[in-house]
Amino acid sequence: MIPLNDIPIIEEGDDIADIVCKSISIRDEDIIIIASTIIAKSEGEFFSLENIKPGNKAIKIANRCNMKPELVQAILDRSNECLIEAPFILVEHKNGSICVNAGVDDSNVKSGLYLDLPKDSDRSAREISRRITELTSHNVSVIITDTNGRAFRNGQIAVAVGIANIEPIRDWVGEKDLFGNELQITQEAIADELAAAANLLMGEGNGGTPVIIIRGMNLFSNKKCSVKELYRDNEQDIIRKGLNALKNNS
Amino acid sequence: MIPLNDIPIIEEGDDIADIVCKSISIRDEDIIIIASTIIAKSEGEFFSLENIKPGNKAIKIANRCNMKPELVQAILDRSNECLIEAPFILVEHKNGSICVNAGVDDSNVKSGLYLDLPKDSDRSAREISRRITELTSHNVSVIITDTNGRAFRNGQIAVAVGIANIEPIRDWVGEKDLFGNELQITQEAIADELAAAANLLMGEGNGGTPVIIIRGMNLFSNKKCSVKELYRDNEQDIIRKGLNALKNNS
C-alpha cells in the first residue's frame, strides 16, 4: 500500500488520472484507490441550498433530525426511498446504494456549499482507468471509496462506491477446506476490503490523503465490472424488510 | 502487510504466540492479525451434535432454514437473542456480537465436528500479546478476526472479534477539514479496517493463511481495549428495532 502524499486540492475540471501518474510511476495491475470526494470535486458536483424549496416530508424529517429543511429536501431529491427518517437519514440513493444523507457532504468544501457523490462512480472509475492506460500503457484497476456506517457496529469504514477492471467479489464456491469439505463462506467482498484497507492510510482531517495505490495483488480484470454487484437484491434483504415494518408500525 | 505462509495446522494446546515468533522476527508495534478459527482450535473449542436435544424453537427454525435441529439448538444455546430466524440465523451471541449461526462453523474441522468462537476473544488476544512480549520483549497489538455478512451489501468481509493493545476506533472529533470546519465523520472503526485488509491475504480455501502481520502503523496502545467498543448500544440500534418489528408482525 502506497499513499500519494502530494495530491493537491482538487478543483473542478482537474484531470485526476494525470495527477496520479505525475505523483507515482504506475505499474501493471496497480489498484488505484480514490476517495469519492475528489472525484466529485473534479466533476463539479457542488450545490448550494439557495433555490431549494422544502416540501412537507422534508420539513417533518428536518424537525426530527435537527437539520436544515432545504438540505433534507436535497437528500430526498437524490433518493429512491428513505429507509430511516430519524435520528439520521438513511436512504437508497438513485444510484442504488444505501447511504446516510444520500452521500451529500459539506466536509472539505467551501462554506455554504455541499458536495454530491459522483453522478456515476463506475463510469468515473472506468474513465480514470482508461486514461491512466492511455498515459502509461499500463493496465490498472480503480476503486472509488466512501465511508459508511454499519448495522450493529460503531464507527465508519470505507466501502467501494465505484469500480473499474476489478471483480468486486471473490468467489470461493467449490473451493475445499483443510479436510476436503466445501467451504461455507463463499463470497468475499474484496472491493470493500481493499477500500477499508486504503482508508487506514487516507485519514479524514485536513482532506487527508485521497489516493492510495495497492500493488502486487493480481486482481486486474478485463471484464466490465460494476459496484452494483455488491448491492443486495431488495427482495432478499431482511434488514430492509425490518426497517419497512418499523415505518409501517409508526 | 506480511502474510505468514508457514503456519502449520493448529491443534488443541498449540502455543500460537510461539508459532508466530518462530515464523517471523517480530518488531515493536507490529499488529498481529489472527483468524479466530485457529485461536478456537488451539483452545479446543470443538463440539459434536451427539448429546444435543433440540427444543421446539430449534426444530421450528431448523425446518425453515433446512438445517439440523441439533445444530440450531447449539446456536440458540450460545445466543442472547435470535434476530433473524430464516432463511439464515442471525443472533446476538452471548459475547455481545451480532453474527450468523453464533459463529459456529464446520469449515476446516474434521467431519462431524463443529468449532465455536473462542470463549473470550479479547482475553485470547491479550494473552497472545502478553506471550509475544515475553518471548521477544517487543510490544505488539493483536486483532482476532472473523468473516461477517453485512446489511444491504453482498459478500462477506472480515471484522475484529477480539483485540489487545490497540484502540478499535480512531476518533476524529475536533479535527478540522480543508476549510477549517469540524469534520462530520468522526469515528473510524480501524480495528475492522485492519481485519478487512488482512483478510485480503488470508483466503478461505484449504485453511488459507491465518496470520498476517501489519507493520508501520504506530497504533500500539497500553490501555485495556475491548472489541465491545465496536458493538452498538441496543437502545440506539434502529436496524435492530426494525428486525424486532418484523418478528412481532409475523
Side-chain angles (χ1 to χ4, degrees):
Chain A
M1 290 216 288
I2 310 161
L4 304 192
N5 292 315
D6 56 354
I7 302 292
I9 294 183
I10 298 297
E11 313 269 2
E12 184 169 353
D14 281 350
D15 180 344
I16 289 177
D18 187 56
I19 290 169
V20 167
C21 294
K22 282 180 176 143
S23 169
I24 188 170
S25 174
I26 292 291
R27 296 196 198 157
D28 241 22
E29 304 216 5
D30 276 353
I31 305 170
I32 323 289
I33 319 264
I34 311 175
S36 64
T37 42
I38 69 164
I39 307 285
K41 285 180 177 184
S42 76
E43 295 176 356
E45 296 295 345
F46 302 98
F47 66 96
S48 80
L49 303 181
E50 246 172 57
N51 295 310
I52 297 174
K53 297 258 173 301
N56 286 338
K57 187 175 178 185
I59 292 169
K60 197 187 90 187
I61 295 174
N63 279 331
R64 293 179 68 195
C65 293
N66 194 22
M67 287 168 67
K68 289 181 189 163
E70 295 78 9
L71 175 58
V72 176
Q73 186 61 53
I75 292 167
L76 295 179
D77 290 344
R78 285 152 180 77
S79 307
N80 292 328
E81 190 186 348
C82 189
L83 301 179
I84 296 178
E85 295 186 355
F88 59 91
I89 306 176
L90 185 76
V91 303
E92 183 186 273
H93 192 281
K94 285 191 170 156
N95 69 21
S97 74
I98 310 279
C99 53
V100 169
N101 291 348
V104 168
D105 194 7
D106 64 353
S107 301
N108 293 312
V109 292
K110 284 181 196 143
S111 185
L113 286 182
Y114 292 84
L115 192 63
D116 258 321
L117 291 175
K119 278 220 172 51
D120 179 345
S121 294
D122 277 339
R123 192 184 58 199
S124 305
R126 280 196 300 272
E127 175 55 23
I128 289 173
S129 172
R130 191 199 58 71
R131 176 99 176 102
I132 289 178
T133 304
E134 184 178 277
L135 291 166
T136 66
S137 58
H138 289 299
N139 288 320
V140 300
S141 309
V142 174
I143 298 177
I144 299 174
T145 70
D146 199 6
T147 45
N148 255 11
R150 295 92 51 79
F152 312 126
R153 292 176 85 85
N154 291 319
Q156 285 90 16
I157 67 171
V159 296
V161 297
I163 60 170
N165 299 111
I166 183 163
E167 298 205 40
I169 288 176
R170 178 154 62 186
D171 210 323
W172 299 95
V173 169
E175 298 272 333
K176 299 284 199 291
D177 72 10
L178 283 171
F179 297 89
N181 309 306
E182 291 228 345
L183 284 171
Q184 294 195 317
I185 290 171
T186 50
Q187 296 210 308
E188 182 184 354
I190 51 168
D192 285 337
E193 290 188 330
L194 288 161
N199 202 46
L200 288 162
L201 300 186
M202 280 190 179
E204 296 277 347
N206 294 319
T209 303
V211 185
I212 309 287
I213 310 291
I214 297 184
R215 185 162 282 171
M217 293 288 294
N218 294 318
L219 292 169
F220 181 83
S221 165
N222 262 320
K223 271 209 254 176
K224 184 162 178 181
C225 307
S226 171
V227 76
K228 293 197 164 66
E229 296 168 54
L230 287 170
Y231 300 160
R232 191 168 284 171
D233 194 23
N234 265 356
E235 321 264 295
Q236 289 171 19
D237 198 327
I238 296 165
I239 286 178
R240 195 156 168 160
K241 281 183 198 162
L243 292 174
N244 278 325
L246 207 58
K247 272 199 287 189
N248 296 337
N249 286 1
S250 71
Chain B
M1 288 215 291
I2 310 161
L4 304 192
N5 292 314
D6 55 356
I7 303 292
I9 294 184
I10 298 296
E11 313 269 4
E12 184 168 351
D14 281 350
D15 179 344
I16 289 177
D18 187 56
I19 291 169
V20 167
C21 293
K22 282 180 176 143
S23 170
I24 187 168
S25 174
I26 292 290
R27 296 195 199 159
D28 240 21
E29 304 217 3
D30 276 352
I31 305 169
I32 323 290
I33 319 264
I34 310 175
S36 64
T37 42
I38 70 164
I39 306 285
K41 284 180 178 185
S42 75
E43 295 177 354
E45 296 294 344
F46 301 98
F47 66 97
S48 80
L49 303 182
E50 246 171 58
N51 294 311
I52 296 173
K53 298 258 172 301
N56 286 338
K57 186 175 179 185
I59 292 169
K60 196 187 92 187
I61 295 174
N63 279 331
R64 293 179 68 193
C65 293
N66 194 23
M67 287 169 67
K68 289 181 189 162
E70 294 80 6
L71 176 57
V72 176
Q73 186 61 52
I75 292 166
L76 295 179
D77 290 344
R78 285 154 179 76
S79 307
N80 291 329
E81 189 187 350
C82 190
L83 302 179
I84 298 178
E85 295 186 353
F88 60 91
I89 305 176
L90 185 75
V91 303
E92 182 185 275
H93 192 282
K94 286 190 169 158
N95 69 21
S97 74
I98 309 280
C99 53
V100 169
N101 292 347
V104 167
D105 194 7
D106 64 353
S107 300
N108 293 312
V109 293
K110 284 180 194 141
S111 184
L113 285 183
Y114 292 84
L115 191 63
D116 259 321
L117 291 175
K119 277 217 171 56
D120 179 344
S121 295
D122 277 339
R123 193 183 58 200
S124 305
R126 280 196 301 271
E127 177 54 25
I128 289 172
S129 172
R130 190 199 58 73
R131 178 98 175 102
I132 289 178
T133 305
E134 184 178 278
L135 291 166
T136 67
S137 57
H138 290 299
N139 289 319
V140 299
S141 309
V142 174
I143 298 176
I144 299 175
T145 70
D146 199 7
T147 45
N148 255 11
R150 292 95 48 80
F152 312 125
R153 293 176 83 85
N154 291 317
Q156 285 88 16
I157 68 171
V159 295
V161 297
I163 60 171
N165 298 112
I166 184 166
E167 297 204 42
I169 288 177
R170 179 155 59 187
D171 210 323
W172 300 94
V173 169
E175 299 271 334
K176 299 284 198 292
D177 71 10
L178 284 172
F179 296 89
N181 309 306
E182 290 232 344
L183 284 171
Q184 294 194 318
I185 289 170
T186 51
Q187 294 210 308
E188 182 183 354
I190 53 168
D192 285 336
E193 290 187 330
L194 288 161
N199 202 46
L200 288 162
L201 300 184
M202 279 189 179
E204 295 278 348
N206 292 320
T209 303
V211 185
I212 310 286
I213 310 291
I214 298 184
R215 184 162 283 172
M217 293 287 293
N218 294 320
L219 293 169
F220 179 82
S221 166
N222 261 320
K223 270 209 256 177
K224 185 162 176 180
C225 308
S226 170
V227 76
K228 292 196 164 67
E229 296 168 52
L230 288 169
Y231 300 159
R232 191 170 284 173
D233 193 23
N234 264 356
E235 319 264 292
Q236 289 171 18
D237 199 328
I238 296 166
I239 286 179
R240 193 155 169 162
K241 282 184 197 161
L243 292 173
N244 277 326
L246 206 58
K247 273 201 287 189
N248 296 337
N249 287 1
S250 71

